Amino acid sequence: MFKTTSKIMLVDDEKDFVEMLSLRLKENEENVIAAYNGQECLDTLEKIQVDVIILDVKMPGMDGIETLKQIKKRHPLVEVILLTGHGTIQSAVEGMKLGAFDFLLKPADFKELTEKLTKAKERRKEQMERIQKAEAAILLRQSKI
């Protein structure tokens, strides 16, 4: 099956975790960008288009939920998968109500992560295609007027 390249941002304050997971995702032919806190994530999003963000819920400073709110406010089409520990499942549920695609418990199973990542990328691609069709329909309608 043909695999499309997309950009994935991994946001977590645990640098060793980010580096290890980035390597595994790159081995899986993913294009990965790392950020180590919520503000760095938001700053990077202003410069680089990202398709899916894997976002830790519990981080110092701006936590994952506040970061998610800002992402969805500024970049509503970016899909977000939340990473959470057992103690913060409630936060993950709150995050999904705020627009997160899904959540994973830490330590995340790599196979489960890649499955959710694939589904998130597909959802984003489908949404982008629907928007392009709608824009084309608008242009076609305007050309007939």
Side-chain angles (χ1 to χ4, degrees):
M1 187 167 126
F2 181 71
K3 185 175 181 177
T4 58
T5 302
S6 55
K7 284 191 181 151
I8 298 163
M9 185 185 301
L10 183 56
V11 185
D12 196 310
D13 61 310
E14 296 177 40
K15 291 188 177 189
D16 291 342
F17 174 77
V18 170
E19 290 171 10
M20 183 194 69
L21 187 54
S22 291
L23 286 174
R24 290 205 65 196
L25 289 168
K26 287 176 182 175
E27 287 173 358
N28 215 24
E29 299 180 19
E30 299 289 359
N31 187 358
V32 182
I33 301 163
Y36 300 103
N37 59 59
Q39 189 59 54
E40 185 179 357
C41 167
L42 297 174
D43 292 346
T44 302
L45 281 176
E46 295 302 321
K47 301 173 200 158
I48 299 171
Q49 182 177 340
V50 173
D51 300 298
V52 180
I53 297 174
I54 301 169
L55 176 64
D56 188 24
V57 170
K58 195 170 183 178
M59 294 185 291
M62 183 186 305
D63 69 8
I65 297 300
E66 182 57 34
T67 304
L68 172 66
K69 288 178 185 174
Q70 294 301 317
I71 291 168
K72 288 298 181 182
K73 183 177 174 184
R74 300 176 194 179
H75 310 277
L77 299 178
V78 174
E79 296 295 344
V80 178
I81 299 172
L82 296 170
L83 277 177
T84 184
H86 288 284
T88 55
I89 291 177
Q90 189 72 20
S91 295
V93 172
E94 178 187 352
M96 290 179 64
K97 289 178 181 175
L98 292 169
F101 175 75
D102 208 339
F103 76 96
L104 285 166
L105 288 175
K106 279 185 164 182
D109 176 73
F110 190 71
K111 183 180 176 193
E112 185 179 11
L113 172 67
T114 55
E115 288 171 356
K116 290 189 181 204
L117 195 52
T118 298
K119 289 178 183 174
K121 289 189 297 188
E122 288 172 359
R123 184 163 114 172
R124 175 168 163 84
K125 182 181 172 194
E126 290 169 2
Q127 182 68 3
M128 296 300 286
E129 288 172 354
R130 283 193 294 272
I131 290 170
Q132 288 174 344
K133 285 180 184 176
E135 288 174 340
I138 290 170
L139 290 174
L140 184 60
R141 177 172 268 197
Q142 289 174 342
S143 69
K144 291 179 180 179
I145 295 176

